Amino acid sequence: MQQKSKLFLQALKYSIPHLGKCMQKQHVNHCNFADHYYNSIKLKKYHLTKCLQNKPRISELARNIPSRNFSCKEFLPIKQENKKSLSENMDAFEKVRTKLETQPQEEYEIINAEIKHGGFVYYQEGCCLVRSKDEEADNDNYEVLFNLEELKLEQPFIDCIRVAPDEKYVAAKIRTEDSEASTCVVVKLSDQPVMEASFPNVSSFEWVKDEEDEDVLFYTFQRNLRCHDVYRATFGDNRRNERFYTEKDPSFFVFLYLTKDSRFLTMNIMNKTTSEVWLIDGMSPWDPPVLIQKRIHGVLYYVEHRDDELYILTNVGEPTEFKLMRTAADTPAIMNWDLFFTMKRNTKVVDLDMFKDHCVLFLKHSNLLYVNVIGLADDSVRSLKLPPWACGFIMDTNSDPKNCPFQLCSPIRPPKYYTYKFSEGKLFEETGHEDPITKTSRVLRIEAKSKDGKLVPMTIFHKTDSEDLQKKPLLVHVYGAYGMDLKMNFRPERRVLVDDGWILAYCHVRGGGELGLQWHADGRLTKKLNGLADLEACIKTLHGQGFSQPSLTTLTAFSAGGVLVGALCNSNPELLRAVTLEAPFLDVLNTMMDTTLPLTLEELEEWGNPSSDEKHKNYIKRYCPYQNIKPKHYPSIHITAYENDERVPLKGIVNYTEKLKEAIVEHAKDTGEGYQAPNIILDIQPGGNHVIEDSHKKITAQIKFLYEELGLDSTSVFENLKKYLKF
């Protein structure tokens, strides 16, 4: 089962890290303000450079697994220039562009969170939380604030940093790569920085300042993957730590978000289909919070603030897709919401960014990317179609009111910077050396017709000079759950495969979110089989249009994507030669009937409730991979699982593997001598994380498996991988 990408528009499978390893006694006063104030009416990225995270983005409301990020520098060597020659008056975009152009060639490297506050940059250097003056951020002149080794964790790294408004304190969330456990440490900034406190199991956290100029830290606490509690804490002489709110509905979770102008801290209470937002005054955090709108089943909404107005992204009304509404901050209830901007049909809202005079919407329409810039003074709209090679956005937190920077990426192309300049009304592209993949590969967007006539978009990559594509190996990607887009961020191993002649195909089937909320609704609950029909249609369309053939076709998925892959292996195994799965969800029925598992209750609106609804139970039985294994020929399957994965229990994966092997043995007996049985490999990795995206061991094992199953020479592909990954 599955989340950290992409939009805040869905309550996704991923939740925030749950176990902390640094415990401390806490004085707790329980207060559920909803009981008292319910009637009140008053919301692993890939970077070319280190990401400046001044504030979290609204898109963080989508719960995804926090991960360490790759940084891709330019492929070609570039002469290093003298940084002192740069003009101090350059705007932010020009500084970024120049920095990129003057970087020397380097391999991909793992970087950590970084935040700019005031005149300092806070980041991780080695095993330490450090800060340096902004103009010295690229030098080795820094001040050590905290040594991560004090937590006695194995290879800890900083996942998130927040600085108190007046820079008296800094808070950092620390975790390890092989676990979702996290610890939040608070460091007092002084001549001799000292750790003031540490809190286990923290997910989201934000600083505000009260009327007495005292820093107040709000944070959410998570246990057993469920995030239901909000705390607030102060430090120094007036030290306290108290429970602020507890969500009583186990199917909902809580996430904190600070509006971009820091005017309000929003407490977002949400599940897969419904949300409720409370406002905490950013200048009077001890006042009772204000409810925007009591939760209404099926209504999602998310909030930003500007000039005493709330901008609300919501699916309320017809059509039930997202639209932008606004209302005065002192009259926030739903009856006061005024329609401000509507999206085109088949549009996914990826993110929203608010500026002094503009609102910027990042959109995906019919599988292409757009940016809509809305002028708030005159309600003008400028729609910009982005380059067709781009498959995903990477948002940059930005405090410059004059520019809106972001990055575009694809599975085979590293991120590239773009900046929209409001004063000129133009989009500027990062200059410098063009990635050679631009000329050596092609990106195609085609559609497959599913059995009910629905057109399913696909994105295809292959080498420009490839001849006879029918004889080339094909790797198909699919997900199709939780309204979550198929991951199309840059992955070095995908690029290497294309360079080696592979065709990559990304199938945006129903159940995902690529075409909006209805696309998700048409692939969940008792419509889950639509996603399977879409996947089958996509692969048949690829073969029919000359992209590879069944004997050279492979399929890959992770987490909830394993449901559709496992179902296809049962229903149409002849379409495939080999499959790779990571932490796959394969036993839907037994998992959803076990309410003792931490995420079962949160998942009911995606898969159904087979314990109490016979219709749901019978429907799940029709597609559940584990339930439908039969003696027949299967493709070879490589499964990566994690020993302490709490999202997808290892037991279900082991049971699936054993049952599948038994069915293959039985089929081999019935077939007789000469039958070549498929290889079924279960690779159990240590650790408690759900998916370790940049694990070199996993990457090499999966690629080795695919090449061996297809009888291909892997020498060149591993040589090329060494250019990008440090082995």
Short mmCIF file of all heavy atoms in Angstrom, two decimals, residues 448-451 456 458 476 478 507 509 529-543 555 564 567-568 571-572 574-575:
data_model
loop_
_atom_site.label_atom_id
_atom_site.label_comp_id
_atom_site.label_asym_id
_atom_site.label_seq_id
_atom_site.Cartn_x
_atom_site.Cartn_y
_atom_site.Cartn_z
N ALA A 448 -4.09 5.12 -25.38
CA ALA A 448 -4.63 3.78 -25.60
C ALA A 448 -6.12 3.81 -25.30
O ALA A 448 -6.57 4.50 -24.38
CB ALA A 448 -3.93 2.76 -24.71
N LYS A 449 -6.91 3.06 -26.05
CA LYS A 449 -8.35 2.99 -25.80
C LYS A 449 -8.64 1.78 -24.92
O LYS A 449 -8.40 0.64 -25.31
CB LYS A 449 -9.13 2.90 -27.10
CG LYS A 449 -10.65 2.86 -26.90
CD LYS A 449 -11.40 2.80 -28.21
CE LYS A 449 -11.38 4.14 -28.91
NZ LYS A 449 -12.31 4.15 -30.09
N SER A 450 -9.13 2.07 -23.71
CA SER A 450 -9.48 1.00 -22.79
C SER A 450 -10.76 0.30 -23.27
O SER A 450 -11.44 0.77 -24.19
CB SER A 450 -9.66 1.55 -21.38
OG SER A 450 -9.63 0.52 -20.42
N LYS A 451 -11.14 -0.79 -22.63
CA LYS A 451 -12.25 -1.59 -23.15
C LYS A 451 -13.60 -0.88 -23.03
O LYS A 451 -14.54 -1.22 -23.74
CB LYS A 451 -12.30 -2.95 -22.44
CG LYS A 451 -12.65 -2.91 -20.97
CD LYS A 451 -12.67 -4.33 -20.41
CE LYS A 451 -13.06 -4.36 -18.95
NZ LYS A 451 -13.07 -5.75 -18.42
N VAL A 456 -6.58 6.50 -22.51
CA VAL A 456 -5.61 6.48 -21.42
C VAL A 456 -4.28 7.04 -21.93
O VAL A 456 -3.70 6.49 -22.86
CB VAL A 456 -5.41 5.05 -20.89
CG1 VAL A 456 -4.45 5.05 -19.70
CG2 VAL A 456 -6.74 4.42 -20.52
N MET A 458 -0.32 7.96 -22.31
CA MET A 458 0.98 7.34 -22.05
C MET A 458 2.08 8.32 -22.44
O MET A 458 1.91 9.14 -23.34
CB MET A 458 1.15 6.05 -22.87
CG MET A 458 0.29 4.90 -22.43
SD MET A 458 0.69 3.39 -23.37
CE MET A 458 -0.10 3.76 -24.94
N VAL A 476 7.78 -0.86 -18.85
CA VAL A 476 6.52 -0.16 -18.62
C VAL A 476 6.40 0.18 -17.14
O VAL A 476 6.71 -0.64 -16.27
CB VAL A 476 5.33 -1.04 -19.06
CG1 VAL A 476 4.01 -0.33 -18.78
CG2 VAL A 476 5.45 -1.42 -20.52
N VAL A 478 3.80 1.79 -14.03
CA VAL A 478 2.39 2.01 -13.70
C VAL A 478 2.26 2.22 -12.20
O VAL A 478 3.08 1.75 -11.41
CB VAL A 478 1.51 0.82 -14.16
CG1 VAL A 478 1.75 -0.41 -13.28
CG2 VAL A 478 0.03 1.21 -14.19
N CYS A 507 2.42 4.61 -18.08
CA CYS A 507 0.98 4.46 -18.34
C CYS A 507 0.19 5.16 -17.24
O CYS A 507 0.22 4.73 -16.08
CB CYS A 507 0.61 2.98 -18.40
SG CYS A 507 1.54 2.05 -19.63
N VAL A 509 -2.82 5.42 -15.82
CA VAL A 509 -4.09 4.72 -15.76
C VAL A 509 -5.02 5.34 -14.72
O VAL A 509 -4.59 6.11 -13.85
CB VAL A 509 -3.88 3.22 -15.46
CG1 VAL A 509 -2.95 2.59 -16.48
CG2 VAL A 509 -3.31 3.03 -14.04
N LEU A 529 -10.96 -2.15 -11.16
CA LEU A 529 -10.65 -2.94 -12.35
C LEU A 529 -10.48 -2.08 -13.60
O LEU A 529 -9.91 -2.54 -14.60
CB LEU A 529 -11.74 -3.99 -12.59
CG LEU A 529 -11.66 -5.23 -11.68
CD1 LEU A 529 -12.94 -6.04 -11.78
CD2 LEU A 529 -10.46 -6.08 -12.03
N ASN A 530 -10.94 -0.83 -13.56
CA ASN A 530 -10.69 0.08 -14.68
C ASN A 530 -9.20 0.29 -14.89
O ASN A 530 -8.71 0.37 -16.02
CB ASN A 530 -11.36 1.44 -14.45
CG ASN A 530 -12.85 1.40 -14.68
OD1 ASN A 530 -13.37 0.50 -15.34
ND2 ASN A 530 -13.57 2.37 -14.13
N GLY A 531 -8.47 0.39 -13.78
CA GLY A 531 -7.02 0.58 -13.88
C GLY A 531 -6.35 -0.62 -14.52
O GLY A 531 -5.41 -0.47 -15.31
N LEU A 532 -6.82 -1.83 -14.19
CA LEU A 532 -6.26 -3.03 -14.80
C LEU A 532 -6.56 -3.07 -16.29
O LEU A 532 -5.68 -3.38 -17.11
CB LEU A 532 -6.84 -4.27 -14.11
CG LEU A 532 -6.41 -5.62 -14.69
CD1 LEU A 532 -4.91 -5.79 -14.65
CD2 LEU A 532 -7.13 -6.75 -13.95
N ALA A 533 -7.79 -2.73 -16.67
CA ALA A 533 -8.14 -2.69 -18.10
C ALA A 533 -7.30 -1.65 -18.84
O ALA A 533 -6.88 -1.88 -19.97
CB ALA A 533 -9.63 -2.39 -18.26
N ASP A 534 -7.05 -0.51 -18.18
CA ASP A 534 -6.23 0.54 -18.80
C ASP A 534 -4.81 0.05 -19.04
O ASP A 534 -4.22 0.28 -20.10
CB ASP A 534 -6.20 1.77 -17.90
CG ASP A 534 -7.55 2.47 -17.79
OD1 ASP A 534 -8.46 2.10 -18.54
OD2 ASP A 534 -7.67 3.38 -16.96
N LEU A 535 -4.24 -0.63 -18.05
CA LEU A 535 -2.87 -1.12 -18.17
C LEU A 535 -2.75 -2.13 -19.30
O LEU A 535 -1.81 -2.09 -20.11
CB LEU A 535 -2.41 -1.74 -16.84
CG LEU A 535 -1.02 -2.37 -16.83
CD1 LEU A 535 0.06 -1.37 -17.22
CD2 LEU A 535 -0.73 -2.98 -15.46
N GLU A 536 -3.69 -3.04 -19.35
CA GLU A 536 -3.69 -4.04 -20.43
C GLU A 536 -3.80 -3.36 -21.80
O GLU A 536 -3.07 -3.70 -22.74
CB GLU A 536 -4.85 -5.00 -20.23
CG GLU A 536 -4.95 -6.08 -21.30
CD GLU A 536 -6.13 -7.00 -21.09
OE1 GLU A 536 -6.56 -7.16 -19.92
OE2 GLU A 536 -6.65 -7.56 -22.08
N ALA A 537 -4.68 -2.36 -21.91
CA ALA A 537 -4.85 -1.65 -23.18
C ALA A 537 -3.59 -0.91 -23.57
O ALA A 537 -3.22 -0.85 -24.76
CB ALA A 537 -6.03 -0.68 -23.07
N CYS A 538 -2.91 -0.33 -22.58
CA CYS A 538 -1.67 0.41 -22.86
C CYS A 538 -0.60 -0.51 -23.44
O CYS A 538 0.04 -0.18 -24.45
CB CYS A 538 -1.16 1.07 -21.59
SG CYS A 538 -2.08 2.53 -21.06
N ILE A 539 -0.40 -1.67 -22.82
CA ILE A 539 0.65 -2.58 -23.30
C ILE A 539 0.31 -3.12 -24.68
O ILE A 539 1.17 -3.19 -25.58
CB ILE A 539 0.86 -3.72 -22.28
CG1 ILE A 539 1.39 -3.14 -20.95
CG2 ILE A 539 1.83 -4.75 -22.83
CD1 ILE A 539 1.54 -4.16 -19.86
N LYS A 540 -0.95 -3.45 -24.90
CA LYS A 540 -1.34 -3.94 -26.22
C LYS A 540 -1.21 -2.85 -27.28
O LYS A 540 -0.81 -3.12 -28.42
CB LYS A 540 -2.78 -4.46 -26.17
CG LYS A 540 -2.93 -5.77 -25.41
CD LYS A 540 -4.38 -6.25 -25.41
CE LYS A 540 -4.52 -7.61 -24.71
NZ LYS A 540 -5.93 -8.07 -24.69
N THR A 541 -1.51 -1.61 -26.91
CA THR A 541 -1.35 -0.50 -27.85
C THR A 541 0.12 -0.28 -28.19
O THR A 541 0.47 -0.03 -29.36
CB THR A 541 -1.95 0.79 -27.26
OG1 THR A 541 -3.36 0.60 -27.06
CG2 THR A 541 -1.75 1.98 -28.19
N LEU A 542 0.98 -0.37 -27.20
CA LEU A 542 2.41 -0.22 -27.44
C LEU A 542 2.90 -1.27 -28.44
O LEU A 542 3.60 -0.95 -29.41
CB LEU A 542 3.18 -0.34 -26.12
CG LEU A 542 3.05 0.85 -25.15
CD1 LEU A 542 3.58 0.47 -23.78
CD2 LEU A 542 3.80 2.06 -25.69
N HIS A 543 2.52 -2.51 -28.20
CA HIS A 543 2.93 -3.58 -29.13
C HIS A 543 2.31 -3.35 -30.51
O HIS A 543 2.99 -3.55 -31.54
CB HIS A 543 2.49 -4.94 -28.58
CG HIS A 543 3.21 -5.33 -27.32
ND1 HIS A 543 2.74 -6.31 -26.48
CD2 HIS A 543 4.36 -4.87 -26.76
CE1 HIS A 543 3.56 -6.44 -25.46
NE2 HIS A 543 4.55 -5.58 -25.61
N LEU A 555 7.80 -4.94 -16.82
CA LEU A 555 6.86 -4.06 -16.12
C LEU A 555 7.39 -3.81 -14.72
O LEU A 555 7.91 -4.72 -14.07
CB LEU A 555 5.49 -4.74 -16.06
CG LEU A 555 4.32 -4.02 -15.38
CD1 LEU A 555 4.06 -2.66 -15.99
CD2 LEU A 555 3.06 -4.90 -15.45
N LEU A 564 -2.03 -3.55 -9.48
CA LEU A 564 -2.33 -3.69 -10.90
C LEU A 564 -1.35 -4.62 -11.60
O LEU A 564 -1.75 -5.41 -12.47
CB LEU A 564 -2.32 -2.31 -11.58
CG LEU A 564 -3.38 -1.32 -11.10
CD1 LEU A 564 -3.30 -0.03 -11.91
CD2 LEU A 564 -4.77 -1.91 -11.19
N ALA A 567 -2.20 -8.15 -10.59
CA ALA A 567 -3.45 -8.55 -11.24
C ALA A 567 -3.22 -8.87 -12.71
O ALA A 567 -3.80 -9.83 -13.25
CB ALA A 567 -4.49 -7.44 -11.09
N LEU A 568 -2.38 -8.07 -13.39
CA LEU A 568 -2.09 -8.34 -14.81
C LEU A 568 -1.33 -9.65 -14.98
O LEU A 568 -1.56 -10.39 -15.94
CB LEU A 568 -1.30 -7.18 -15.41
CG LEU A 568 -1.03 -7.30 -16.91
CD1 LEU A 568 -2.34 -7.16 -17.70
CD2 LEU A 568 -0.03 -6.25 -17.38
N SER A 571 -4.00 -12.23 -14.96
CA SER A 571 -5.00 -12.22 -16.04
C SER A 571 -4.39 -12.32 -17.43
O SER A 571 -4.97 -12.96 -18.32
CB SER A 571 -5.85 -10.96 -15.94
OG SER A 571 -5.06 -9.80 -16.14
N ASN A 572 -3.24 -11.69 -17.66
CA ASN A 572 -2.62 -11.68 -18.99
C ASN A 572 -1.11 -11.79 -18.90
O ASN A 572 -0.37 -10.89 -19.33
CB ASN A 572 -3.00 -10.40 -19.75
CG ASN A 572 -4.40 -10.45 -20.31
OD1 ASN A 572 -4.65 -11.06 -21.34
ND2 ASN A 572 -5.32 -9.79 -19.63
N GLU A 574 0.89 -13.44 -20.58
CA GLU A 574 1.56 -13.58 -21.88
C GLU A 574 2.01 -12.24 -22.44
O GLU A 574 2.79 -12.20 -23.41
CB GLU A 574 0.62 -14.26 -22.87
CG GLU A 574 -0.62 -13.45 -23.26
CD GLU A 574 -1.74 -13.53 -22.26
OE1 GLU A 574 -1.59 -14.25 -21.25
OE2 GLU A 574 -2.78 -12.87 -22.48
N LEU A 575 1.57 -11.13 -21.85
CA LEU A 575 1.99 -9.81 -22.34
C LEU A 575 3.39 -9.44 -21.86
O LEU A 575 3.98 -8.48 -22.36
CB LEU A 575 1.01 -8.73 -21.86
CG LEU A 575 -0.41 -8.77 -22.45
CD1 LEU A 575 -1.27 -7.70 -21.79
CD2 LEU A 575 -0.36 -8.56 -23.96
#
